[in-house]
Amino acid sequence: MSTPLLICQDLCKSYKKGTPVLDHLNLEIPSGKIIGLLGPNGCGKSTLLKLISGLLVPTEGQIFLCGQPRSEETNQLISYLPERTYFSSRMKVSDLIRFFTDFYPDFDPNLAANMLADLGIRTGDSLKTLSKGTKEKVQLVLVMSRRAKLYLLDEPIGGVDPAAREYILRTIISSYNPDASVIITTHLITDIEPALDDFCFMGYGGKILLSGEADSTRETYGKSLDEIFKEVFRYAR
């Protein structure tokens, strides 16, 4: 049996005394899957991704990547898309490509250029001239152009127009390393559902309410993941 790509073991995170954001969360992610981390805003999805990527330190518990405890070395295996854009508006798209090329040995500038061209985004464009949605597309393209082991995508379709969502989902499906896995957080379950292999429903307090293989769960319940989530979450309150 192969070692899971990611293991979260009894993971807790509290920012202040009181109710924890994550409360003894346990999660295993295999290789070669697109997993939806699905739940309402404020349930701890973004906090979990920040813990996995090393931006936050857990209050309790451990994180393992490819069988190794999370460390600066394992951070190199992760390509992380935060919920908000973080690039300077003074930069051009071409500056970002050079930056990623210099900073990440696994970055593929040709793949990035091709995906940007498909979206009609010119590398000579300045970020300050781009809409919020277009900036988010640029950031997603850069993240997906790395040859990482684990892609962490925090609300990748939340700020883009519906017409672009299908392309973005196709980009995620077609451009990631098949030996890697992708975790996508969102509350837009209907939009992301067709792309998912597996899912985890997360409730408030960072509790995993239900998880499994997407197709078999839909078959068992005779409903969409969105319908199942609404039912599960209603009884979990």
Side-chain angles (χ1 to χ4, degrees):
M1 186 174 180
S2 61
T3 301
L5 176 60
L6 170 70
I7 298 174
C8 297
Q9 192 173 80
D10 290 325
L11 204 58
C12 299
K13 181 62 182 178
S14 297
Y15 293 106
K16 296 180 181 179
K17 290 183 179 179
T19 304
V21 180
L22 299 178
D23 186 12
H24 293 92
L25 180 143
N26 289 284
L27 183 67
E28 290 191 5
I29 300 295
S31 298
K33 299 287 186 179
I34 298 178
I35 301 103
L37 187 62
L38 311 173
N41 291 328
C43 71
K45 302 188 303 295
S46 295
T47 295
L48 177 57
L49 294 198
K50 289 175 182 177
L51 289 168
I52 296 169
S53 64
L55 294 176
L56 292 175
V57 177
T59 307
E60 295 179 38
Q62 291 183 291
I63 299 170
F64 299 89
L65 283 155
C66 298
Q68 302 298 316
R70 201 214 64 75
S71 65
E72 291 302 315
E73 284 191 5
T74 63
N75 283 350
Q76 299 174 23
L77 306 175
I78 296 170
S79 191
Y80 170 57
L81 176 75
E83 187 176 4
R84 294 178 176 85
T85 55
Y86 58 89
F87 299 130
S88 169
S89 61
R90 295 192 297 268
M91 301 179 78
K92 294 182 178 180
V93 176
S94 57
D95 295 330
L96 296 176
I97 292 175
R98 284 194 294 272
F99 174 79
F100 268 65
T101 301
D102 291 342
F103 199 78
Y104 297 110
D106 61 359
F107 180 72
D108 186 342
N110 293 324
L111 177 60
N114 290 336
M115 287 195 287
L116 290 168
D118 287 343
L119 287 166
I121 300 171
R122 296 170 298 187
T123 57
D125 287 343
S126 172
L127 291 188
K128 65 183 177 182
T129 67
L130 303 180
S131 67
K132 179 177 181 291
T134 302
K135 289 177 185 176
E136 291 181 353
K137 294 174 193 174
V138 171
Q139 190 162 291
L140 175 64
V141 164
L142 295 172
V143 166
M144 296 308 300
S145 295
R146 290 185 56 199
R147 300 301 183 187
K149 282 288 189 180
L150 180 62
Y151 299 85
L152 304 176
L153 310 181
D154 199 356
E155 297 285 354
I157 62 171
V160 301
D161 56 278
R165 287 177 185 172
E166 184 179 348
Y167 176 83
I168 288 173
L169 292 177
R170 287 202 313 269
T171 298
I172 293 169
I173 293 168
S174 63
S175 62
Y176 84 102
N177 178 352
D179 293 327
S181 281
V182 182
I183 300 177
I184 305 173
T185 76
T186 188
H187 61 283
L188 302 171
I189 299 175
T190 300
D191 292 311
I192 208 76
E193 184 171 339
L196 301 180
D197 298 309
D198 297 340
F199 72 94
C200 292
F201 291 160
M202 181 180 281
Y204 291 117
K207 298 289 188 181
I208 300 297
L209 305 178
L210 183 69
S211 63
E213 199 273 330
D215 285 342
S216 62
T217 301
R218 279 190 289 258
E219 184 176 346
T220 298
Y221 282 78
K223 298 177 181 179
S224 68
L225 291 183
D226 188 42
E227 292 170 321
I228 298 167
F229 176 80
K230 290 173 182 175
E231 184 175 304
V232 169
F233 193 76
R234 182 169 63 249
Y235 289 112
R237 286 181 180 275

